[in-house]
């Protein structure tokens, strides 16, 4: 693994730790389960949905993670 790839993976793990408030071990598991797709990992974990559904939401909203998060926050407010 090149140092660039190692650096990228480390950053992905840090992001998952910060956003999902999990430890490094859990973040690595989540990232592996999401096949390296950080945005889908965040959505699927945060909203407890299958990875493919999280990826569908991302595709539908042009890959914009913030748009997906806003969508779910707005849905939550309406309940």
């Amino acid at each position: 693994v090149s140092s660039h790839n190692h650096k990228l993976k480390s950053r992905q793990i840090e992001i998952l730790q910060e956003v999902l408030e999990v430890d490094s071990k859990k973040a690595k598991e989540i990232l592996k389960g999401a096949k390296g797709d950080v945005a889908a990992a965040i959505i699927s974990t945060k909203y407890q949905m299958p990875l493919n559904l999280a990826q569908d939401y991302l595709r539908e909203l042009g890959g914009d993670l913030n748009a997906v998060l806003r969508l779910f926050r707005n849905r939550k407010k309406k309940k």
Side-chain angles (χ1 to χ4, degrees), residues 4-76:
H4 176 74
N5 287 342
H6 180 71
K7 215 171 161 179
L8 176 62
K9 187 169 184 174
S10 292
R11 183 63 187 132
Q12 290 173 319
I13 291 165
E14 287 174 19
I15 291 167
L16 291 175
Q17 285 180 267
E18 290 172 26
V19 174
L20 299 175
E21 298 177 348
V22 296
D23 63 25
S24 176
K25 183 180 178 186
K26 183 67 176 171
K28 287 176 187 175
E29 290 172 12
I30 292 168
L31 185 61
K32 185 177 180 183
K35 299 175 183 87
D37 187 340
V38 176
I42 291 169
I43 296 163
S44 67
T45 303
K46 194 170 179 84
Y47 298 106
Q48 300 175 346
M49 69 175 66
L51 182 66
N52 63 333
L53 184 55
Q55 290 168 328
D56 288 346
Y57 277 106
L58 281 164
R59 250 189 310 280
E60 195 69 29
L61 294 172
D64 186 342
L65 173 60
N66 285 320
V68 177
L69 295 175
R70 277 192 304 274
L71 174 72
F72 280 94
R73 272 196 304 269
N74 291 339
R75 284 183 178 180
K76 199 173 187 180

